[in-house]
Amino acid sequence: MRFFNFKEEINDDTHFVIFGIPWDYLTSTDLPNSSITPDSIRNITDDIGFTTELGFHITNFQAADIGNVEIIPTSVELNIRKIDTFLKEIYTGNEDIIPIMIGGDHFCTYPVVKAVGDQIEKKEEFGVLIFDAHLDFYQEWDKGVYSHATLSHRIFDLEYINNKNLIIVGARDIDIEELNLANSENLKFLNAYHIIDGIDYYIDKIKEFYHKSNIKKLYVSIDIDALNPSIAPGTGYAIPGGFSYREMWKILKEIALSFNVVGFDLVEVAPNLDLENRMTLILAVKLIIEFMDFIRRSKL
Ligand SMILES: [Mn+2]
């Protein structure tokens, strides 16, 4: 089972490497089952047309799907190390490869961002863009410092990440403690209610933010709950007021054209909460494949 017909092996021509992290131990409800998502997403690619919306043949992507990281659900520190090793192997022999991670809960993003950031020589050019209904900025959550609710705080704690190169977009479900924490650190986030001002608001603000600090290389993390639950019902925390598919499509297109996207992920899809027609899984596949096409075009 592979993502579309991508090959399993990385070779000299490989541009994108897809892999899954089937891990949802650090979510904070018993409802979602995002550990089955990487394979559910691969499965559904059989039912989706083999072209992107702009007409690129998916068979022509120079991409590999190398499977899943082997996870032992409760072994948090061990999994973090395993994910790091997995990423380092991807980069062996080709440091320009663009890793694409399918989660898993949002915590899966932390070890991936760290591995991607660690191998970038000019750290001052590196930025992280997170789409999320939540800030995930708690210092600790039910299972400790590592949780899907502390994700962006752990990223923020990386020595090369700060309030000038990390931005969270689509926020609309923030607790008081978390808001106070975010404000005290001057964490940059864009609220979802600006959608009523038109999608260019986000494109302009995101570009302005990164240009101000001279960021050129971006890691992008997409929590599916950044999108509106009317189109993404299959997730643990369905918060109203998110982006439409087309709005997200447009933002991703502009981001890919304006920055060098060095990796991205899609997390928090829960197939067990999806509708029978699997619309959240299809949305996830479309976002991945469209973003890949935008990134490919930006490098032509
Ligand atoms: Mn979220």
Side-chain angles (χ1 to χ4, degrees), residues 132-134 136 223 225:
D132 200 328
H134 309 92
D136 295 341
D223 182 328
D225 71 24

Side-chain angles (χ1 to χ4, degrees), residues 77-95:
E77 301 275 0
L78 178 67
N79 291 336
I80 291 174
R81 284 199 302 278
K82 274 187 170 189
I83 294 164
D84 191 62
T85 308
F86 193 91
L87 263 293
K88 294 219 160 90
E89 275 166 25
I90 290 176
Y91 284 125
T92 309
N94 187 354
E95 56 197 32

